[in-house]
Amino acid sequence: MRRDLIEFAANLASLAVVLGSLIKRRRLKRKPMSVKTIAVIVAMEAEAAPLIEHLGLKKQEKSPFAGPLPAVVFSGAVGDATVHVCTNGPARGFGVDSVGTVPAALTAYQACEALEPDLLVNAGTAGGFKAKGGVVGDVYLATAFKNHDRRIQIPGFDVYGVGAADAAACPNLRAAMGFKAGVVSTGNSLDCPDVDRDALAANDASVKEMEAAGIAHVAAMFDTPFIAVKAITDIVDGDKPTHDEFLQNLGAAAKALQAAVPKVLEFVAGKKLAEL
Ligand code: SAH
């Protein structure tokens, strides 16, 4: 009886070793020599449309993602790389795009799992700050990602709440693009009450939007390098109501993204991560 138990335990241990090495091998396989596959996560269809057209990407009629996720994937080639632009898709029952951190993280998770990108990119519109020199139409390449609406005043959880994560190091890309650099701060609201305003200042934010930190959370999980390109539609500390300014400038900002994102993709395609 005891011998059986010992044998059983030994079998279990060797199974664990085999499984462990298989998982390790899968992880190792994911470490790329160069950027061959890129997943670009975009929240809104209107933000993505000019980019998809410009790159000549084709919609994947059968979603590569598991389950009922409404994300839509458009794929094609840029230089030596395969590019997948993933929009979060419509929110079931609401008839609008799935903006915000939860849909962004779900799309990013599925993208990392199914598409195995060597680089994850988030492109979208965002609010800028007059106090940081921001103007409508600016394009930012994020330096870091933080949350401004996760206030958890318990030691350890306070730091987790902000969830600061650095963007992938890409000094050559920065120099070549000449975009503005700054911290992208994420929250689940378009408006900006005083409590968020204080948190944005504490985060040293140059850019305010609703997805990037959620995607950074997933990128860290998969150990996938992550960068974000954000075009400014509205000025958070300006005089106009954000909603009006956003709608007025969405088309122009989508065009700015259309100009900026392909340049980024062309630069990174086929390069080693260390060359970015
Ligand atoms: N479609 C809505 C607005 C969408 S929410 C409307 O018609 O009013 C705003 C989207 O744009 C989000 O995906 C967010 O990431 C980005 N965004 C642009 N400006 C923003 C700001 N000032 N604050 C937060 N998110 C902003």
Side-chain angles (χ1 to χ4, degrees):
M1 177 68 185
R2 239 183 105 185
R3 227 156 112 205
D4 283 351
L5 261 179
I6 291 168
E7 215 168 274
F8 178 66
N11 283 343
L12 214 63
S14 50
L15 186 69
V17 169
V18 170
L19 276 177
S21 75
L22 276 177
I23 290 168
K24 222 185 204 162
R25 201 174 304 161
R26 186 152 184 239
R27 288 239 171 88
L28 281 178
K29 206 183 109 212
R30 285 188 174 188
K31 290 267 176 270
M33 290 302 291
S34 56
V35 179
K36 293 245 169 62
T37 305
I38 306 167
V40 185
I41 314 286
V42 183
M44 297 177 67
E45 216 185 304
E47 293 170 328
L51 178 66
I52 290 162
E53 201 191 313
H54 180 93
L55 295 175
L57 306 181
K58 294 274 168 297
K59 181 176 170 179
Q60 292 204 24
E61 292 304 335
K62 188 181 175 315
S63 173
F65 298 156
L69 195 72
V72 186
V73 182
F74 302 83
S75 305
V78 172
D80 289 342
T82 300
V83 171
H84 305 283
V85 170
C86 313
T87 59
N88 290 340
R92 192 172 183 179
F94 294 96
V96 294
D97 293 304
S98 309
V99 301
T101 53
V102 170
L106 286 170
T107 305
Y109 192 95
Q110 288 281 321
C112 287
E113 191 62 24
L115 309 172
E116 299 193 10
D118 306 316
L119 180 71
L120 202 53
V121 181
N122 175 214
T125 59
F129 293 83
K130 200 168 60 181
K132 291 276 187 191
V135 294
V136 168
D138 272 349
V139 176
Y140 278 87
L141 186 56
T143 53
F145 308 101
K146 297 180 186 177
N147 294 275
H148 56 258
D149 67 352
R150 303 203 314 182
R151 293 173 291 277
I152 317 168
Q153 295 89 346
I154 302 169
F157 287 93
D158 49 359
V159 180
Y160 160 76
V162 174
D166 286 334
C170 51
N172 298 323
L173 174 68
R174 283 185 198 288
M177 297 297 114
F179 300 148
K180 290 191 172 179
V183 173
V184 171
S185 191
T186 303
N188 274 292
S189 297
L190 183 65
D191 70 356
C192 195
D194 285 345
V195 66
D196 282 355
R197 212 170 279 272
D198 293 346
L200 282 153
N203 282 355
D204 191 29
S206 293
V207 176
K208 170 180 178 283
E209 50 74 87
M210 299 172 62
E211 288 86 17
I215 300 170
H217 176 78
V218 175
M221 241 182 242
F222 282 86
D223 203 12
T224 300
F226 174 46
I227 60 172
V229 183
K230 297 280 164 174
I232 302 302
T233 41
D234 52 87
I235 299 300
V236 180
D237 52 353
D239 334 309
K240 295 189 191 145
T242 297
H243 181 96
D244 295 346
E245 208 179 8
F246 173 84
L247 288 181
Q248 199 180 320
N249 297 317
L250 179 58
K255 289 241 167 66
L257 279 179
Q258 175 200 317
V261 178
K263 275 195 222 158
V264 169
L265 298 178
E266 276 155 23
F267 184 91
V268 301
K271 283 210 173 55
K272 293 196 176 78
L273 286 168
E275 293 170 345
L276 302 187

